[in-house]
Amino acid sequence: MPSYRLAAVEGSQTFDLPDGRSVIVGRGIASDIALYDPTISRRHAELTAIPDGVQVRDLGSSNGTAINGARIAIGLMLPRDSITFGKVVFQLEEVLDAGAHAGQTPAEGIGGATPRSTIVSEVPVAPGAILVDRRAPASQLRVTARDDRERTERKLSLLLEISQRLAGEFDLDKLLATVADTMFEIMNVDRVSVLLTHETAGELVPRLTRARLPDAAMQHVPRSIARKVMQERVAVLSHNAADDERFTGQSIVLQRVQSAMCCPLLGAGDDPIGLLYVDNLTAVHSFSDEDLQFLVAFSGIAGMAIANSRYADRLRRETMVRSNFERYFAPNVAAEISQQLTSVRPGGERRPVTVLFADIRGFTSLAERLSPEETATLLSDYFSVMVELIFEHGGTLDKFIGDAIMALWGAPIAHVDDVDQAVAAARAMQEAVEMLNGRWREAGRPTLSVGIGINHGEAFAGNIGSARRLEYTVLGDAVNIAARLCSIAEGGIILASDAVRAAVRDPSGFEKVEGPALRGKATAVEVYRIV
C-alpha cells in the first residue's frame, strides 16, 4: 500500500498520513493535523489513506473542503491533486520511501503540526508565506522530557491545564492577570502585553502589560507588529525585530526589542478580539518555531476565555440594567430597553405619548385618621396592584407623586396599540380598586376612591436631571392636560381628552361630559368619560 503526505502549496509544512487510519484536520489543538487559520473550522475534515488514494470527508465546515477546486462533501484524492481547507491549499504527494518518514506522524508537534522548517517566522492564520531560518534556537518553553513523544504529551497536558485554569475565571482583569502570570510561568519571556479591541469603537486598546524585571516596563506594543498581526491574522515571530524589514518605526528600537512573538486572539466567531505579545530584551534568535506554535495554541485558549468573560460581563450588565428597569417598565419592555441601551445621558426627543394620572380622593383626611405605619401599608398594597396592572398593559411607571401615580405609554418603547392599552389599564385599575375596597371592608380597613385622567399628544421624552442623578420622564402640555383631567375626575371616574377618543380603535365606551370644555388652554379640550 502506498504512503501519502500533504505538502503546503504556500510555505513548507508537511503532514504524513498514516495508512488505514483516519485523521482530523482542524483548527483545534486536539486535531491530528492542526492548521491555525480563521477560515478553517475546529473540526474541518477527515482524511483516510486507502490503497486507491485518500478518502476525504468534510465535517460540516463553515468554508468547505475542495479537491482540485471543486467543493465536496465526500471525495477521493489522488497523488498530485490539490485539496483546499477553507483557504489553505495542500497537495497530495505519494511517499515512495515510506521508511524515511516512518517516525513522523501527524501526532508530532502541537496539535500534530510538524513543519519542515526549523523556525517559522509567520504561522499563517490567513494564507501567506512561511519564512525559514535555519539557525535553530533552543525552545523557551519550560517543558522537560526524555524524547519528542513525551515532550508532545507534556505540552498537550500543559495546554489542558491552562484551559481549565482560564475557563474558571470570568472577571476580565483577573483573567488577563492570569494569562500574563501563566505565560511567565511556562516560557522564558521578559515582557507580556495584551491588547483588546474596544467592544464598540473596534480599535485596539492596551489592557495589560507585565514585565519580569522592574526596569523592563513596556510603553506599548510596537505598532507595526500589532498592525500586521491584526490585519493579516498571522502569528509573528521576529528573531531580530530591530533589523526585521517587515517592521518599521522607532518604538521597536526605543524599547530595545530583540526577539518578539505576537499572536491574534480569536473569539467564538473567529474574528480577532485582540492580540497577545511577548518579547525578549536580552538576545536575538531566542524563540523557536515550537515556541510560536505553542503561543498560537495558548492564544486560542486565552481568546476563547476572554470572549467568554466579555459575554459574562455583558450578561451581568444587562441583568443589572434589566432589574433596575423592571421597577419602572413592564418586564418585556425592560428586556427590550436593556438590549438597546448603550449609555444613559441627558437628553431625549419629541414623540407621541399617552399619559395617565391616578390620584386617591380625600387621601389627606384619610391619612390623618391612620398611623404612619397603617398609611404606608395601605399605599403599598394599593401601589402594588396598580403598578402590576400598568405593566400588564405594557405601560411605564413614570413616578409616584405622593399618593398619585403617573404612567405613560409610547416611551421609551412605542407600540401601535399604546392608547388602547392605556385605556384598558385605566378600566382595570378602577375595577381593582373596587376589589381592594371589598377586601378591606371585610377586614375593617378604610376604603379608597380614585380618579383617573388620560391624555394623548406630543411630549418631550428623555433623561432629565443632572450628571449625578437622571430621571427618565416626559414633559410638555400633553402631560399637563392629563394631570388637569385627573384633578377634576371624581372617585371611580376615568376622564379622557378628545385626543384619546380620536386615537383609540373602539371609542364606543366614551361619553362626552356635558358642560364647558377644559379651560385654561389656548385650544379648548373636550372631555370624555370612559365607562
Side-chain angles (χ1 to χ4, degrees), residues 25 225 252-253 322 337 365 381 388 390 420 483 489:
V25 178
I225 294 179
I252 291 176
V253 177
R322 186 168 172 174
I337 297 170
S365 60
D381 292 345
E388 284 302 317
I390 292 168
D420 298 278

Side-chain angles (χ1 to χ4, degrees), residues 378-399:
L378 185 144
L379 281 179
S380 295
D381 292 345
Y382 166 72
F383 284 150
S384 296
V385 174
M386 297 298 107
V387 170
E388 284 302 317
L389 291 172
I390 292 168
F391 287 172
E392 184 179 313
H393 290 85
T396 296
L397 173 64
D398 187 286
K399 62 175 68 73

Side-chain angles (χ1 to χ4, degrees), residues 264 312 410 440 526 529:
W440 289 339
E526 294 185 347
R529 176 182 175 182

Side-chain angles (χ1 to χ4, degrees), residues 73-307:
I74 298 177
L76 181 67
M77 183 170 50
L78 302 176
R80 304 185 66 81
D81 284 349
S82 67
I83 183 166
T84 306
F85 307 106
K87 293 184 178 180
V88 181
V89 184
F90 286 84
Q91 186 176 55
L92 183 65
E93 296 178 352
E94 184 174 354
V95 181
L96 299 179
D97 183 8
H101 300 273
Q104 181 182 356
T105 71
E108 296 175 5
I110 291 299
T114 308
R116 286 183 293 180
S117 59
T118 305
I119 297 177
V120 181
S121 293
E122 294 179 18
V123 172
V125 189
I130 300 178
L131 305 181
V132 179
D133 188 333
R134 295 298 177 185
R135 292 164 291 183
S139 173
Q140 298 301 313
L141 272 173
R142 292 192 172 99
V143 175
T144 57
R146 292 168 295 183
D147 51 39
D148 289 344
R149 181 175 295 278
E150 183 180 349
R151 187 172 181 82
T152 298
E153 291 175 354
R154 292 197 175 185
K155 286 188 292 183
L156 291 174
S157 177
L158 180 58
L159 287 171
L160 178 60
E161 179 186 335
I162 291 169
S163 177
Q164 294 171 340
R165 184 186 303 181
L166 299 185
E169 182 58 73
F170 291 102
D171 182 279
L172 185 57
D173 291 334
K174 292 181 180 177
L175 174 63
L176 297 181
T178 303
V179 168
D181 292 341
T182 303
M183 183 54 61
F184 283 127
E185 179 184 326
I186 64 176
M187 190 176 288
N188 290 315
V189 296
D190 290 330
R191 300 185 296 195
V192 177
S193 187
V194 177
L195 279 67
L196 298 180
T197 54
H198 192 279
E199 290 191 83
T200 54
E203 60 186 19
L204 275 177
V205 178
R207 285 302 306 264
L208 176 139
T209 296
R210 292 278 184 87
R212 189 183 299 279
L213 301 175
D215 61 347
M218 181 161 45
Q219 300 296 322
H220 53 76
V221 173
R223 187 176 301 174
S224 54
I225 294 179
R227 186 186 306 117
K228 184 176 185 65
V229 167
M230 295 298 288
Q231 291 180 354
E232 301 182 24
R233 298 188 185 184
V234 294
V236 169
L237 186 159
S238 181
H239 296 300
N240 189 347
D243 294 334
D244 197 326
E245 61 183 13
R246 294 173 298 173
F247 310 121
T248 58
Q250 290 298 311
S251 60
I252 291 176
V253 177
L254 293 175
Q255 297 190 70
R256 300 176 291 142
V257 177
Q258 297 291 335
S259 295
M261 295 191 296
C262 191
C263 186
L265 297 167
L266 302 180
D270 290 340
D271 292 323
I273 60 173
L275 60 82
L276 174 63
Y277 171 92
V278 299
D279 67 14
N280 193 300
L281 306 178
T282 56
V284 299
H285 294 276
S286 60
F287 296 123
S288 69
D289 61 333
E290 180 188 46
D291 296 332
L292 181 61
Q293 290 189 15
F294 194 92
L295 184 71
V296 169
F298 180 91
S299 298
I301 296 170
M304 288 301 300
I306 291 168

Side-chain angles (χ1 to χ4, degrees), residues 291-506:
D291 296 332
L292 181 61
Q293 290 189 15
F294 194 92
L295 184 71
V296 169
F298 180 91
S299 298
I301 296 170
M304 288 301 300
I306 291 168
N308 289 338
S309 172
R310 280 182 159 184
Y311 180 67
D313 185 59
R314 190 157 57 246
L315 284 181
R316 282 196 297 269
R317 291 199 308 267
E318 287 183 5
T319 301
M320 182 180 67
V321 170
R322 186 168 172 174
S323 64
N324 287 333
F325 280 151
E326 284 183 352
R327 297 163 56 196
Y328 305 100
F329 305 110
N332 60 320
V333 176
E336 193 171 349
I337 297 170
S338 66
Q339 292 173 1
Q340 296 180 7
L341 189 72
T342 55
S343 61
V344 179
R345 293 185 292 270
E349 59 180 344
R350 293 179 67 89
R351 61 192 301 163
V353 296
T354 305
V355 185
L356 178 151
F357 280 90
D359 191 23
I360 299 175
R361 297 290 170 249
F363 182 76
T364 301
S365 60
L366 177 64
E368 289 175 353
R369 302 197 307 269
L370 300 175
S371 67
E373 292 80 9
E374 290 173 328
T375 302
T377 299
L378 185 144
L379 281 179
S380 295
D381 292 345
Y382 166 72
F383 284 150
S384 296
V385 174
M386 297 298 107
V387 170
E388 284 302 317
L389 291 172
I390 292 168
F391 287 172
E392 184 179 313
H393 290 85
T396 296
L397 173 64
D398 187 286
K399 62 175 68 73
F400 297 123
I401 311 170
D403 60 299
I405 298 173
M406 176 181 171
L408 57 99
W409 283 257
I413 304 294
H415 300 93
V416 294
D417 61 344
D418 281 330
V419 181
D420 298 278
Q421 289 291 343
V423 171
R427 286 175 166 145
M429 290 166 74
Q430 290 291 20
E431 292 173 359
V433 171
E434 293 181 8
M435 179 195 69
L436 285 172
N437 283 337
R439 197 166 65 203
W440 289 339
R441 283 192 197 97
E442 293 180 0
R445 298 171 62 184
T447 59
L448 301 179
S449 180
V450 177
I452 297 177
I454 310 175
N455 184 41
H456 176 72
E458 192 174 71
F460 174 87
N463 298 304
I464 309 299
S466 69
R468 286 183 174 270
R469 180 178 174 83
L470 292 174
E471 180 180 275
Y472 187 89
T473 189
V474 292
L475 301 173
D477 195 47
V479 181
N480 298 334
I481 292 174
R484 290 279 300 279
L485 289 169
C486 179
S487 67
I488 64 173
E490 297 178 358
I493 301 299
I494 305 170
L495 295 183
S497 66
D498 50 354
V500 173
R501 182 180 182 278
V504 295
R505 295 175 181 175
D506 181 12

